[in-house]
Amino acid sequence: MLKRLFLPLYAATYDLINASSERAGLRRQRHDLIAQATGATIEIGAGTGLNLAHYPPAVTRLVLTEPDPHMIRRLRRRAARLGCDAEIIDATAGQLPFPDASFGTAVVTFALCSVPDEQAALGEITRVLAPGGRLLFLEHVRSADPGVAARQDKMPFPYPLIGCHPNRDTLQEIKASPLAVESVRSGEVPKAPKIERPMIAGVARKPAPSEGR
């Protein structure tokens, strides 16, 4: 009951909550990552659409997936306001309604922390990527500081309500998936609460059949 009441409020205030981080450098980090997108592109867990302004002309088709109805309403409004010709789909990361090898680029930003099963999501992302296709990722992750990691493990309010797991070792999950990590950079989400600050940004690629893993 509390979760049902909280989620609409969270969606309504999401942009405001993140505004200081965006101004302090997160917007630039989004831009630098998403500027690498090309061809048919899918974004998993697009939220309110904070990435929309950063997609380059090299993207020939843009599909945005988002399972939360409160987020998707705001996503549709932002896409309309920006004049963005994107397909917006109500879908979870673990069940993407697209054929194999549909996309050349996939994007996830602060989404893998909230999927029920990271390997299932990464498996689906791999499936819909064409051989040689790339995953562009920007995620907050488990801290290397034991004290901060212990606080992440406690999942304080409101993390359980929004389904966010700030203690996930997402880089290891990507490495354990069929994708091959090509580049990764560690950093911090500026102006974020301490348990959300540890961050990774990078690129992973779906190997061609001849490459294997």
Side-chain angles (χ1 to χ4, degrees), residues 94-107:
Q95 291 184 305
L96 298 174
F98 304 100
D100 296 356
S102 294
F103 300 97
T105 305
V107 174

Side-chain angles (χ1 to χ4, degrees), residues 33-34 36-43 55 59 61 102-107 125 128-130 133-136:
L33 180 75
I34 294 168
Q36 302 174 68
T38 60
T41 298
I42 182 170
E43 180 177 345
Y55 282 100
V59 171
R61 176 193 180 194
S102 294
F103 300 97
T105 305
V107 174
I125 290 169
V128 301
L129 278 174
R134 298 177 302 160
L135 170 65
L136 311 179

Side-chain angles (χ1 to χ4, degrees), residues 31-133:
H31 179 83
D32 291 347
L33 180 75
I34 294 168
Q36 302 174 68
T38 60
T41 298
I42 182 170
E43 180 177 345
I44 313 299
T48 63
L50 288 174
N51 291 331
L52 277 179
H54 304 298
Y55 282 100
V59 171
T60 56
R61 176 193 180 194
L62 181 58
V63 174
L64 310 172
T65 71
E66 173 55 51
D68 182 272
H70 312 292
M71 291 285 192
I72 209 167
R73 284 197 292 271
R74 286 162 177 79
L75 176 60
R76 292 186 190 281
R77 287 203 292 265
R78 177 171 262 134
R81 188 167 67 248
L82 294 175
C84 180
D85 183 19
E87 303 165 49
I88 299 176
I89 307 294
D90 178 354
T92 64
Q95 291 184 305
L96 298 174
F98 304 100
D100 296 356
S102 294
F103 300 97
T105 305
V107 174
V108 287
T109 62
F110 307 110
L112 292 176
C113 60
S114 60
V115 299
D117 184 329
E118 281 190 286
Q119 282 304 311
L122 289 164
E124 273 291 87
I125 290 169
T126 303
R127 181 185 66 77
V128 301
L129 278 174

Side-chain angles (χ1 to χ4, degrees), residues 163-213:
C164 176
H165 300 79
N167 60 346
R168 286 181 172 174
D169 191 347
T170 295
L171 180 58
Q172 290 306 312
E173 293 289 339
I174 296 172
K175 288 179 176 178
S177 80
L179 299 165
V181 174
E182 289 194 322
S183 64
V184 64
R185 176 181 59 81
S186 297
E188 289 192 343
V189 180
K191 304 288 186 180
K194 188 168 287 189
I195 65 174
E196 285 185 41
R197 285 183 200 165
M199 181 195 75
I200 56 170
V203 179
R205 185 169 59 89
K206 178 178 178 176
S210 59
E211 295 178 276
R213 275 296 305 268

